[in-house]
Amino acid sequence: EWDFVLPVIQHLGPLRPGFKGKQGLDDFDAEAIVGAVRHGAPLQAVRDYLAYYDKGVVKRHLEGQVEGFPTIFYAVASNSVEIVRIWVSHGASVSTTHQPTGVPLLGFAIANGGNLEGEDTTAMVTTLLSLGACPRVIPEELFRDFCSDIADRAAAIGQDNGKECDSEAAWCKNPLYRKKLAQTLNLSQRYVLELATKLKKPSIRHRQVARLRNAEAILGVPYFLIGQTIAAGRLVQKLLSYLIMPSPRPLVLVFAGPSGHGKTELSRKMGYLLNLPLLVVDCTTVNREMELFGPRHPYTGAERGSPLNNFLTENAGRRCVVFMDEFEKTTRDIHQALLLPFDNGNPDGPVGEYQDRRNLNKVDCSNTIWILATNAVDHTIKAFCEDNPQILNQDEPERETLTRKLSRTVRADFLDQFDAPVTGRISEFIPFLPFSPSEQAVVGHKFLLELIAKVRPPVKLSKDSKWSGEQLLGNVNLQAKRGAAVCKRLAADYNADLGARSMLAAVEHVQELLMDAYLEEEEEIVEGGGMRDYRVDVVGGEVV
């Protein structure tokens, strides 16, 4: 039996690459880099150390062990998804196990949440699944019906003899291991585990194309959104198609759906995973072409350009993302100005070219990914979902057919509201659907986790009049033992027109309750005090 605690590795000081190359000498020190990671070494120092050595040498060592454990276990123990991505990029496998106990890396990542005081491991679990870790190594009964609490039956699960385990989860026949997972799995982790069992896995060719185009990370996008598997799936499919057959025309996508349902988040996540620069344009602030792209010569201000003009110029010929939020607020003047960069961003193309407003140089926008976010067709999407509720079901066999039908309906509605020249330049219409009741609860849990992290740091009293860096509400260990019950109650405040914002408001009510309890304490707020426990629960149908 193992208590999920890794051996202590000595920290040998700053990482310094050693001698390289002569007579095949290999002085790569796996223990040194593991020790550095365990003691919080900067990401760049880790990258520099690994980059110094031959790729084959690095792969061999990172696939190896330190003190009897695969090195990637130590990377996961750091709870840094960036460190884990570095390990995987150098050949480490997310499917590895600790051989003596059979504990898989994913199982360790979940159980490790009990070792990290005050830290949430949901991002780590999600990242491992997005990188290909198999969810079946976790007993299904621990995450089936994810929106119900399992803490109350943790003891019963711990006593289970494991007969229901799939072969991949045989390690969990040990009742102590099962009980540990039951105690540490939270609502968001159970959700992403169940989601991972339902998502269609990328084919060999999907992975090949993504690898050849340095875009492998995009295949993991569906894991990082709550709901919106249709939108994420269609985005991935369109991007891969675009990468297979590059076009001189840029990719122009419409993200259509109610406010607060993941349009901005998906764009940001895509940019992050592909390491692409992203510019967000608030379309409510621009009414004329010159406000969007900047004045033309000889008008005043032409030499300064505009944020969009300068962004396109800085990223000319390279992949980048322009996210135009609330596109329905744009005017016909803006539509007309966008036709050229939408139609053919290639300066050598036959239609024309976009010019830098500052110096009139040609700008290649052919690799720009334009995303137009709009809720102008909300009524169309909501009505379609009401008439075809099965589209919200991940297991529905007709879901793909319904999705294509919805996209065509959205296109037709978009054409009615915007002129044909703009609509004709759209590469794909991607619909965003309202959240299901269980997804609403998971959204609430996401914000609840953020609140828990926000109030945990120590109290810090400001020494200046500007309250710089002050934290009066601190040293709070906020617990949600029955997280699913709490979040389902919060989900009662969900509003389809507001989406996640309505759930944020519900969690802000929890914050107000916490503030009231905190201020009722009959002692002064001081630095250096101990942690105080608070619990959020549901009593009599109300959050307390």
Side-chain angles (χ1 to χ4, degrees):
E1 293 179 354
W2 176 39
D3 59 1
F4 297 100
V5 176
L6 293 172
V8 176
I9 305 299
Q10 184 180 2
H11 183 35
L12 303 177
L15 282 172
R16 293 190 180 92
F19 188 77
K20 177 193 174 187
K22 258 189 187 178
Q23 299 176 344
L25 184 62
D26 170 16
D27 63 354
F28 185 98
D29 191 339
E31 187 169 336
I33 193 168
V34 163
V37 165
R38 292 287 279 155
H39 289 82
L43 281 173
Q44 194 55 51
V46 174
R47 291 192 182 100
D48 291 345
Y49 186 86
L50 297 177
Y52 182 84
Y53 294 96
D54 176 77
K55 290 182 179 179
V57 169
V58 173
K59 184 175 187 293
R60 186 174 73 253
H61 281 284
L62 294 191
E63 287 179 333
Q65 298 185 354
V66 170
E67 295 288 337
F69 289 86
T71 66
I72 195 171
F73 271 66
Y74 296 95
V76 166
S78 73
N79 205 29
S80 166
V81 296
E82 297 296 344
I83 289 290
V84 170
R85 287 188 181 278
I86 290 173
W87 245 250
V88 173
S89 70
H90 285 85
S93 171
V94 296
S95 300
T96 191
T97 61
H98 176 234
Q99 291 299 327
T101 60
V103 173
L105 185 66
L106 181 62
F108 170 68
I110 295 170
N112 189 47
N115 302 331
L116 299 173
E117 189 173 335
E119 289 190 47
D120 176 51
T121 58
T122 300
M124 179 62 69
V125 172
T126 304
T127 298
L128 292 178
L129 289 167
S130 76
L131 292 171
C134 176
R136 301 289 183 188
V137 301
I138 307 301
E140 188 178 347
E141 62 268 24
L142 293 182
F143 60 84
R144 185 195 308 128
D145 190 19
F146 65 87
C147 212
S148 64
D149 285 302
I150 61 174
D152 295 336
R153 54 189 177 94
I157 290 174
Q159 295 165 5
D160 196 302
N161 61 14
K163 289 181 180 178
E164 296 182 29
C165 282
D166 294 332
S167 59
E168 298 99 324
W171 67 279
C172 226
K173 288 182 179 180
N174 184 318
L176 294 180
Y177 292 169
R178 294 166 69 84
K179 185 174 181 179
K180 179 74 170 179
L181 292 187
Q183 291 172 336
T184 52
L185 271 169
N186 64 35
L187 172 59
S188 294
Q189 292 169 357
R190 297 195 301 271
Y191 165 74
V192 75
L193 281 166
E194 181 165 297
L195 175 67
T197 65
K198 296 179 177 180
L199 286 174
K200 184 179 178 181
K201 301 301 179 186
S203 69
I204 291 176
R205 287 193 177 180
H206 280 142
R207 293 193 178 279
Q208 179 188 18
V209 170
R211 184 177 65 255
L212 292 174
R213 294 293 184 265
N214 195 29
E216 283 183 283
I218 197 63
L219 300 175
V221 160
Y223 295 88
F224 292 97
L225 290 181
I226 299 172
Q228 309 310 346
T229 53
I230 287 177
R234 291 189 71 81
L235 173 65
V236 171
Q237 197 66 31
K238 194 64 185 179
L239 281 173
L240 290 179
S241 300
Y242 183 72
L243 293 174
I244 289 175
M245 296 186 65
S247 167
R249 297 180 60 177
L251 194 61
V252 184
L253 307 172
V254 167
F255 283 8
S259 178
H261 283 81
K263 297 189 291 292
T264 304
E265 185 175 0
L266 178 55
S267 301
R268 292 190 184 280
K269 188 59 66 175
M270 179 186 72
Y272 163 74
L273 291 175
L274 293 179
N275 196 25
L276 300 180
L278 168 72
L279 176 70
V280 177
V281 178
D282 181 0
C283 292
T284 63
T285 64
V286 292
N287 295 304
R288 296 180 296 165
E289 179 215 21
M290 65 178 296
E291 294 172 345
L292 184 63
F293 289 111
R296 297 178 184 272
H297 285 283
Y299 293 103
T300 302
E303 70 283 356
R304 294 193 299 270
S306 74
L308 177 56
N309 175 86
N310 301 347
F311 179 81
L312 294 174
T313 303
E314 290 164 7
N315 295 282
R318 297 184 296 172
R319 285 209 298 258
C320 61
V321 182
V322 176
F323 181 81
M324 304 194 70
D325 198 17
E326 298 197 66
F327 187 74
E328 70 278 2
K329 303 292 198 309
T330 52
T331 62
R332 188 171 294 275
D333 187 39
I334 296 293
H335 300 168
Q336 194 66 32
L338 288 169
L339 295 184
L340 182 59
F342 280 5
D343 192 57
N344 195 321
N346 189 338
D348 298 320
V351 177
E353 67 278 350
Y354 178 73
Q355 292 179 323
D356 184 351
R357 294 295 170 91
R358 296 168 297 182
N359 51 32
L360 302 184
N361 289 340
K362 295 179 180 180
V363 178
D364 181 359
C365 305
S366 58
N367 288 316
T368 304
I369 300 172
W370 297 84
I371 298 176
L372 317 181
T374 179
N375 47 21
V377 294
D378 287 4
H379 63 284
T380 300
I381 294 174
K382 291 176 183 176
F384 189 93
C385 291
E386 290 173 2
D387 294 339
N388 304 274
Q390 62 271 37
I391 196 173
L392 299 175
N393 184 359
Q394 185 80 18
D395 299 320
E396 172 58 44
E398 297 297 318
R399 200 180 195 211
E400 186 62 33
T401 301
L402 289 172
T403 300
R404 288 194 294 268
K405 182 179 178 182
L406 175 56
S407 293
R408 291 194 299 269
T409 305
V410 168
R411 176 183 284 273
D413 196 7
F414 191 89
L415 177 59
D416 289 339
Q417 299 189 48
F418 298 87
D419 47 20
V422 171
T423 305
R425 287 163 172 79
I426 306 301
S427 310
E428 183 76 12
F429 287 82
I430 298 179
F432 286 68
L433 310 183
F435 294 127
S436 69
S438 57
E439 290 167 354
Q440 295 163 23
V442 178
V443 172
H445 189 254
K446 171 191 171 184
F447 291 130
L448 188 59
L449 289 177
E450 291 176 0
L451 174 60
I452 290 171
K454 180 180 176 182
V455 300
R456 188 172 183 87
V459 167
K460 183 178 180 182
L461 301 179
S462 177
K463 301 296 191 295
D464 59 51
S465 59
K466 296 182 180 179
W467 306 326
S468 175
E470 186 173 66
Q471 173 139 355
L472 290 179
L473 177 57
N475 293 113
V476 170
N477 180 29
L478 180 60
Q479 303 173 12
K481 296 292 187 183
R482 300 199 307 139
V486 170
C487 292
K488 282 194 286 189
R489 176 58 189 85
L490 294 176
D493 294 334
Y494 171 75
N495 182 298
D497 292 326
L498 298 175
R501 294 182 180 91
S502 61
M503 297 307 303
L504 178 59
V507 174
E508 286 174 347
H509 174 62
V510 175
Q511 179 175 311
E512 292 170 3
L513 294 175
L514 174 62
M515 289 283 290
D516 291 343
Y518 185 76
L519 292 173
E520 285 294 324
E521 300 281 351
E522 289 294 343
E523 58 184 42
E524 285 196 349
I525 301 171
V526 296
E527 294 183 358
M531 297 294 295
R532 298 296 296 270
D533 293 336
Y534 292 83
R535 187 175 76 245
V536 58
D537 208 338
V538 176
V539 177
E542 294 298 327
V543 175
V544 298

